[in-house]
Amino acid sequence: MRMRTRLLRGIVGIEAAIVLIAFVVVAAALAFVALNMGFYTTQRSKEVMAQGLAQASSSLEVDGTVLAKVDTTNNRLTCAIIPVRLSAGQKDVDLTPGKADIAVWVVNKMAGTNLYSSAAQAVTTVNNYDINTLCQQAATDGVIVVWGPENNGDTVLQPGEKVLVVIDFTSLATKLGATGATNGLEPYDVFKVEIKPPIGAALTVERTVPASLAYE
């Protein structure tokens, strides 16, 4: 009788151990699932944050002074040149026409979007960077992007490279049918240029035409 009691106690102990092991295995499996989902959620959160930061921050910045060409005879600003480079720490930016976009507004006079769509508007080889030459090249389309001499021949803006966004307001006004600006911009006119890369926030450059346009 005693031997049978001891045997029953041994069986109960083994069953309890089996149940305990089963609980441990199930708990381990659940913990693995929870950790795996946590790692996945954390990774996705980092990706979303990185994408949001890339979309919110501008990858382009103005590099220096915005230059202008002036018709002193009519006292009008006819052309503007905006030097642009990559912002610090940003990756390469594709400025191929059709992928990047440029919009131009002149308050109360003209407005145009999708002004950078032709392959001819991306000028990667230039022999003369004189302002008159650059503005003359922009006369056909109204807007061109000219790569600096450090360019490697493509239409991707990389660290160490610089581009010049050239806007000929006279030809652009003719193209957009803005009769009030076909001779250029008058003193106190406000113009805005928006350069929108494929990824990241647009770079907006706003300037007011000076009261005096005595120099060319």
Side-chain angles (χ1 to χ4, degrees):
M1 212 41 202
R2 290 182 179 179
M3 185 178 296
R4 185 176 181 183
T5 302
R6 290 178 181 176
L7 181 60
L8 290 174
R9 289 179 179 176
I11 293 174
V12 172
I14 293 173
E15 290 176 349
I18 292 173
V19 172
L20 180 61
I21 292 172
F23 276 120
V24 171
V25 171
V26 172
L30 291 175
F32 174 78
V33 172
L35 288 173
N36 191 43
M37 289 299 296
F39 290 142
Y40 176 78
T41 303
T42 301
Q43 182 64 28
R44 290 295 298 167
S45 299
K46 290 173 61 179
E47 292 177 0
V48 171
M49 290 175 62
Q51 291 175 1
L53 182 61
Q55 291 292 342
S57 60
S58 177
S59 54
L60 303 174
E61 65 181 9
V62 177
D63 182 29
T65 304
V66 176
L67 304 177
K69 183 176 183 298
V70 174
D71 178 0
T72 54
T73 302
N74 297 314
N75 199 36
R76 298 289 184 97
L77 188 151
T78 59
C79 180
I81 299 178
I82 305 171
V84 176
R85 68 178 179 183
L86 287 178
S87 300
Q90 295 293 334
K91 297 181 180 180
D92 301 353
V93 173
D94 191 352
L95 292 181
T96 303
K99 294 183 179 179
D101 187 27
I102 296 177
V104 177
W105 294 271
V106 179
V107 177
N108 296 326
K109 288 193 174 179
M110 65 177 176
T113 58
N114 300 320
L115 301 176
Y116 184 61
S117 57
S118 170
Q121 292 177 270
V123 183
T124 57
T125 303
V126 178
N127 296 324
N128 189 349
Y129 287 91
D130 176 73
I131 187 171
N132 293 312
T133 303
L134 294 177
C135 290
Q136 186 177 3
Q137 284 188 278
T140 301
D141 296 296
V143 175
I144 61 172
V145 175
V146 179
W147 267 257
E150 66 281 351
N151 177 46
N152 58 8
D154 59 17
T155 55
V156 177
L157 183 61
Q158 299 169 333
E161 296 181 348
K162 180 168 67 175
V163 296
L164 302 174
V165 179
V166 186
I167 301 100
D168 188 308
F169 291 104
T170 56
S171 59
L172 189 59
T174 301
K175 181 179 179 181
L176 296 175
T179 56
T182 52
N183 292 327
L185 307 187
E186 299 176 289
Y188 301 110
D189 277 345
V190 177
F191 68 88
K192 298 180 182 181
V193 180
E194 183 182 83
I195 306 164
K196 181 68 174 68
I199 298 176
L203 170 64
T204 302
V205 180
E206 179 179 339
R207 294 292 187 274
T208 301
V209 179
S212 175
L213 298 175
Y215 297 98
E216 183 175 357

